Amino acid sequence: MDKKDIADIRKQFKVENDLLTIHDIFNVYIMKETSEIYHHQSMPFEMLEAEQQELFMENFKKVLSGQLDEKLFELKFQRDVDNNSQLILHQGLLSNDTEEWKGQMLQLVEKMLANKQYEMDVVVTFIHGEYMKPMKNMSEEAEESERDTVYSHPFILCSMNKTQDPKKELLFDYVEKEFKYNIVVDPIINLKAPMSGFLFPSITDNASDVNHVLYAAGKKNEPDYHFIEEVLNAEEIMTAAQDKLVFEEIVKNVAGDQKFNTSTLSNVYDEIHRVAEESEEEDRPALDKKDVEQILSGSGIEDVNTEKVSSAFKTVIDDETYEFKANNVVPKYDSKSIKIETKIANISISPQDLRHVRQVHLNGKRFLMMEVEENTVIEGFEMIPEALFQKAPEDEE
């Protein structure tokens, strides 16, 4: 799935939407002390009160929120795994019997509890629904409306949410005219910040892909590897942060003792952006070993060759066929995505403007120098330019 596919289904999660039908909702309450199922309950989604439906819809939208490779990850299922989750999910997707579907979802919950101790009580919510996407009209003269023909996508969505203790509050009783301590023992289910979840199957170019699942992490660049490998039985992944780190290590390995200045780093970012722009992959262009060699050669790094790049791939990641996602490697090109942090100040700048920044030595001190086209304004006061270099006085005769 790309970000457009995710956005298309995410925006459908709203009450009274004829393009989204949720058949059943199944909630499972897990106790932290015993890691056992304390209670589970299912019902048709339409039987929930309108306020409850709104709460859950917002929760499901949050599961599908975030950037790919940061909070959302399209995972490929492992092969030849006993009690494979892909098969369980596929059977659940095809099932028209609620009790049968519940049994399959409980199998997934049992896998969540195996060798796992949660720090708080957890509620796992499953929904079984159908998402319909209208086919675009071929022409304005077409007699059919957009919704006469649709792509149909049955799906299962899972959301895991932690519980929290109720707030201790002081209330005023209008009838008895007295202050009372509000005693509530029921835990609150935090639907505003899902701790994990997934959507099955993956949907790409209006086609369902049962070989992939979209996994949602609770925090950016912090996927739950136990959940990915043991619960979903999916293959290993690289986060955007890890992807960037591996690329940086490969560049350092190829460059050797060569030192980088801002111009060289800016050239690297420019070359990545150019290669990405020329790529046939519109949404998530990838960079292979050959692309990396081309990028480093075109950036002014000396003595770059195929052998050095191959050796760097073997040393750093032990996989010469590995491909980086360009969007992970270079910060957002047109926004101030590069953070320059010093003890004196923090500066944000875009990759394309990095070439206007220099680190220089003057009178034994280091200075960060930035080229600007206009006078700097600080707290409403316009600064006048200062001369760094002055003409030496002439010798007196």
Side-chain angles (χ1 to χ4, degrees):
M1 298 182 75
D2 59 26
K3 59 184 180 182
K4 185 177 182 301
D5 295 318
I6 296 169
D8 282 342
I9 187 171
R10 181 178 180 272
K11 68 182 180 182
Q12 301 305 329
F13 281 93
K14 50 191 175 185
V15 178
E16 297 182 356
N17 175 17
D18 60 352
L19 291 177
L20 181 77
T21 302
I22 299 177
H23 306 301
D24 298 293
I25 183 168
F26 183 37
N27 292 307
V28 182
Y29 196 99
I30 298 170
M31 299 290 290
K32 65 179 180 180
E33 292 89 353
T34 59
S35 290
E36 293 179 351
I37 296 174
Y38 178 73
H39 178 68
H40 60 75
Q41 178 182 353
S42 72
M43 68 174 61
F45 190 77
E46 62 184 11
M47 296 296 291
L48 296 177
E49 296 180 1
E51 292 79 6
Q52 288 181 307
Q53 291 185 14
E54 290 282 0
L55 285 172
F56 277 113
M57 286 295 192
E58 287 300 315
N59 177 255
F60 302 149
K61 286 170 68 174
K62 288 184 181 297
V63 170
L64 300 176
S65 298
Q67 298 295 319
L68 282 165
D69 296 328
E70 291 183 354
K71 284 197 70 178
L72 299 175
F73 302 84
E74 186 176 46
L75 310 177
K76 184 177 181 180
F77 288 107
Q78 299 178 41
R79 298 293 184 183
D80 303 322
V81 176
D82 292 336
N83 194 27
N84 195 316
S85 292
Q86 180 184 14
L87 179 59
I88 296 172
L89 285 166
H90 196 212
Q91 290 173 338
L93 192 70
L94 299 177
S95 177
N96 293 319
D97 182 88
T98 301
E99 290 301 317
E100 184 178 286
W101 177 70
K102 283 170 51 180
Q104 287 146 352
M105 297 307 101
L106 286 173
Q107 288 183 56
L108 293 175
V109 174
E110 292 296 338
K111 297 177 76 168
M112 294 176 191
L113 299 178
N115 303 315
K116 179 74 174 182
Q117 183 74 42
Y118 293 101
E119 297 178 357
M120 72 293 291
D121 290 0
V122 173
V123 175
V124 185
T125 300
F126 297 96
I127 56 172
H128 188 191
E130 184 178 13
Y131 153 58
M132 289 162 285
K133 183 178 179 182
M135 298 180 185
K136 293 184 179 179
N137 289 332
M138 297 301 294
S139 66
E140 294 183 359
E141 293 78 18
E143 295 182 358
E144 292 182 320
S145 70
E146 282 189 357
R147 300 193 179 190
D148 285 337
T149 54
V150 296
Y151 297 105
S152 175
H153 301 292
F155 69 88
I156 292 172
L157 185 141
C158 168
S159 175
M160 292 186 67
N161 302 279
K162 58 188 176 182
T163 62
Q164 58 193 43
D165 294 331
K167 293 181 180 179
K168 298 177 180 179
E169 297 174 319
L170 188 67
L171 303 180
F172 179 72
D173 189 328
Y174 277 101
V175 178
E176 300 294 334
K177 294 183 180 180
E178 64 179 354
F179 294 97
K180 292 182 177 180
Y181 179 64
N182 184 32
I183 302 176
V184 180
V185 296
D186 297 332
I188 297 172
I189 303 169
N190 183 5
L191 295 177
K192 295 182 179 180
M195 55 190 293
S196 190
F198 64 82
L199 173 73
F200 175 84
S202 176
I203 302 170
T204 304
D205 295 331
N206 302 316
S208 297
D209 179 4
V210 296
N211 292 314
H212 289 84
V213 58
L214 184 70
Y215 161 74
K219 294 182 180 180
K220 182 178 175 180
N221 285 312
E222 294 184 18
D224 184 340
Y225 291 101
H226 172 269
F227 195 92
I228 290 172
E229 297 172 16
E230 303 300 327
V231 178
L232 293 177
N233 302 136
E235 295 182 353
E236 293 182 3
I237 58 169
M238 291 277 279
T239 67
Q242 291 169 334
D243 215 21
K244 186 174 185 293
L245 180 61
V246 170
F247 178 80
E248 291 170 356
E249 290 301 315
I250 286 177
V251 172
K252 292 174 184 177
N253 191 291
V254 173
D257 295 331
Q258 297 179 57
K259 299 298 182 181
F260 282 72
N261 55 30
T262 53
S263 293
T264 304
L265 187 56
S266 178
N267 289 339
V268 171
Y269 289 149
D270 287 345
E271 282 294 307
I272 294 173
H273 182 68
R274 182 186 61 78
V275 172
E277 288 287 299
E278 295 175 355
S279 172
E280 296 179 358
E281 303 171 26
E282 295 181 3
D283 188 63
R284 309 186 74 200
L287 307 174
D288 59 15
K289 182 176 66 175
K290 186 176 180 181
D291 292 323
V292 172
E293 180 182 351
Q294 179 184 346
I295 288 166
L296 300 186
S297 298
S299 303
I301 298 176
E302 300 176 356
D303 301 325
V304 176
N305 55 55
T306 303
E307 184 179 347
K308 273 189 174 182
V309 175
S310 296
S311 176
F313 268 73
K314 288 180 181 178
T315 302
V316 176
I317 199 170
D318 194 26
D319 183 2
E320 290 189 61
T321 65
Y322 184 78
E323 294 185 349
F324 300 95
K325 295 182 179 68
N327 295 339
N328 294 345
V329 170
V330 64
K332 293 182 179 178
Y333 195 73
D334 298 322
S335 65
K336 295 180 180 180
S337 54
I338 294 179
K339 311 299 180 186
I340 303 174
E341 299 181 356
T342 70
K343 290 183 178 180
I344 303 299
N346 296 332
I347 301 171
S348 298
I349 194 167
S350 69
Q352 60 183 341
D353 290 329
L354 185 60
R355 61 182 69 256
H356 301 300
V357 178
R358 296 283 188 277
Q359 178 175 271
V360 298
H361 282 85
L362 180 64
N363 298 330
K365 296 181 180 180
R366 280 192 295 264
F367 290 84
L368 191 65
M369 185 172 68
M370 183 164 52
E371 177 188 344
V372 295
E373 296 180 353
E374 66 285 323
N375 286 343
T376 304
V377 177
I378 302 177
E379 294 293 331
F381 297 96
E382 184 173 340
M383 302 293 102
I384 61 172
E386 300 179 45
L388 285 178
F389 306 99
Q390 295 181 346
K391 183 178 179 181
E394 296 182 0
D395 294 337
E396 295 183 0
E397 296 182 0

